Amino acid sequence: MAAINQASSFMRTKTSTSSPSSSSHRFITRASIHLPKISTANLDIFTPNIASNISMVQEMHKFSRFTPKNPTLNPNVHPDHEVIMEKLYLILEAVSDRVEMHKNIGEQRNNWNSLLLTCINTITLSAATMAGIASAITSVPGAPLETLKLSSSFLYLAATGMLIIMNKIQPSQLVEEQRNAARLFKQLESEIKTKIAISQPTLNDVNEAMEKVLAIDRAYPLPLLGVMLEKFPAKVEPAVWWPEKPTTSKRRNDKNGWSVDLEEEMREIIKVLEVKDKDDYIRLGEKALKLNKGLAKAGPLLTGLGAIGSAFLASAPHSSWAMVLGVMGGAMASVVNTIQHGGQVGMVFDVG
């Protein structure tokens, strides 16, 4: 405005006109405004300011809480970040596949347990029924006694062989092993996803995830022959899956409300709970193991005795005890098998 006021000039002129009839004075005001010319040569003075603003925006990006989409533009990203992320995503994909695989195999082996138990009990009760019928028709002339005796003995032998195999592999324990493996792989999957989402993974994270995958594979192998876990161990011990981490000393934050005495007290409480829980689980596991061992031996023994009793049916000096073994052996074997595999005593031991 000052330039306009200084450049403006106001001129007042006074004119007078006269006429024959009247005379008047007329004042005419004339004004002119002169605007200054803008020179383009003066624009060079603004260039340093623009450059300084650009540098200020770049500095603000360093302190921004939003990470750029392209990691190469972030100077804080490790040069091997893309390779590390690629490896971690490959491990995550393998872990997801293992979760689904162990889940499906667990369902399959649960079906094994149900089908084998139903088949063996059906065979055992059929053999016991045949033995009872054969003992009842010993005095009937022309009765198919020998056929019933042989059929009953054959069914008892088949049930004995199937029970030995079933007690060896323990399908209920196989089911629980697959459930534990799926649970641990899900835990590892969530841990990897969390690291990818809220932190910047390093090569140590990749190695640690790979070691955990291999540790779970060793703890819960899929094949049944050769590498199957021992179903009747000599000693019950707590299972350890994860590889041990190196102990690192961390600085305690005095501003979080924790004192040295409180930290030591909490450590002692955790140790007491850990020892108490471990003792309880080991005690329960030992009881379940002893019960499972006794039932695993009793089932095939009873079916074997039933086969011997069926073979000696209608024999003059041995007819009484043969009838008892042939009928009672099958009935007791069905009860033992139902308690062991229907009650999934092996799974209780594996959980304990």
Side-chain angles (χ1 to χ4, degrees):
M1 291 298 293
I4 294 175
N5 292 331
Q6 291 178 1
S8 304
S9 62
F10 298 93
M11 299 177 63
R12 173 181 282 183
T13 60
K14 180 179 180 182
T15 60
S16 62
T17 59
S18 61
S19 63
S21 58
S22 63
S23 63
S24 63
H25 299 279
R26 182 178 297 173
F27 295 91
I28 299 174
T29 303
R30 296 178 180 178
S32 62
I33 301 174
H34 300 280
L35 297 175
K37 295 182 179 180
I38 299 176
S39 177
T40 58
N42 296 328
L43 291 177
D44 296 336
I45 62 176
F46 297 102
T47 303
N49 294 331
I50 295 174
S52 62
N53 291 335
I54 294 176
S55 62
M56 182 176 64
V57 172
Q58 292 177 352
E59 289 292 331
M60 290 176 64
H61 276 293
K62 295 181 181 180
F63 301 98
S64 177
R65 61 188 180 91
F66 299 101
T67 56
K69 294 182 179 180
N70 188 2
T72 57
L73 298 178
N74 191 354
N76 296 326
V77 175
H78 195 271
D80 297 334
H81 179 71
E82 294 182 357
V83 179
I84 293 174
M85 292 298 294
E86 182 179 358
K87 291 181 179 180
L88 207 56
Y89 273 114
L90 289 175
I91 296 175
L92 180 61
E93 183 179 358
V95 170
S96 301
D97 292 339
R98 278 169 166 77
V99 170
E100 191 67 23
M101 178 177 62
H102 283 281
K103 181 180 178 181
N104 295 336
I105 293 177
E107 294 177 357
Q108 179 195 39
R109 293 178 179 178
N110 190 26
N111 293 333
W112 286 2
N113 186 54
S114 301
L115 294 175
L116 285 174
L117 177 61
T118 303
C119 293
I120 291 174
N121 281 345
T122 302
I123 293 173
T124 304
L125 292 176
S126 299
T129 303
M130 288 182 181
I133 295 174
S135 63
I137 62 173
T138 53
S139 60
V140 177
L145 181 60
E146 296 298 329
T147 304
L148 291 175
K149 288 171 56 177
L150 291 175
S151 299
S152 178
S153 299
F154 178 77
L155 289 177
Y156 271 129
L157 292 176
T160 303
M162 295 175 66
L163 265 178
I164 292 174
I165 297 174
M166 190 175 182
N167 292 337
K168 178 65 176 177
I169 64 176
Q170 290 290 316
S172 61
Q173 287 192 37
L174 296 178
V175 174
E176 187 61 28
E177 289 171 6
Q178 300 308 312
R179 288 173 182 168
N180 286 335
R183 176 177 58 83
L184 292 173
F185 274 122
K186 282 183 181 179
Q187 179 181 348
L188 181 58
E189 182 183 12
S190 301
E191 182 180 344
I192 294 175
K193 287 182 179 179
T194 303
K195 286 183 179 179
I196 293 175
I198 66 174
S199 64
Q200 190 171 351
T202 60
L203 188 59
N204 292 331
D205 296 329
V206 175
N207 295 332
E208 181 181 355
M210 196 63 198
E211 289 178 0
K212 288 184 177 181
V213 171
L214 296 177
I216 300 175
D217 285 340
R218 289 191 299 268
Y220 299 105
L222 292 176
L224 295 179
L225 300 178
V227 295
M228 183 178 64
L229 296 180
E230 179 63 35
K231 298 301 182 289
F232 302 100
K235 184 179 180 182
V236 179
E237 294 179 349
V240 179
W241 301 286
W242 302 133
E244 295 183 357
K245 295 181 180 180
T247 56
T248 56
S249 59
K250 296 182 179 180
R251 296 180 61 186
R252 183 176 57 83
N253 188 6
D254 295 332
K255 297 180 181 180
N256 60 1
W258 286 75
S259 61
V260 178
D261 296 336
L262 185 58
E263 289 181 358
E264 292 296 332
E265 183 178 355
M266 292 302 298
R267 288 194 184 98
E268 293 296 329
I269 294 174
I270 292 173
K271 287 181 180 179
V272 170
L273 293 176
E274 182 180 357
V275 171
K276 182 178 180 300
D277 292 341
K278 185 186 295 185
D279 293 339
D280 291 341
Y281 279 114
I282 290 177
R283 191 182 305 111
L284 176 61
E286 290 176 350
K287 292 180 180 180
L289 180 60
K290 290 179 181 179
L291 178 60
N292 196 29
K293 282 182 178 180
L295 295 175
K297 294 177 181 179
L301 179 62
L302 290 172
T303 53
L305 292 176
I308 296 173
S310 299
F312 286 95
L313 283 173
S315 298
H318 311 292
S319 58
S320 59
W321 63 263
M323 182 183 63
V324 173
L325 288 179
V327 177
M328 294 298 296
M332 294 177 64
S334 298
V335 174
V336 169
N337 296 336
T338 303
I339 294 175
Q340 181 185 9
H341 299 289
Q344 297 184 343
V345 180
M347 187 186 70
V348 173
F349 158 69
D350 201 83
V351 172

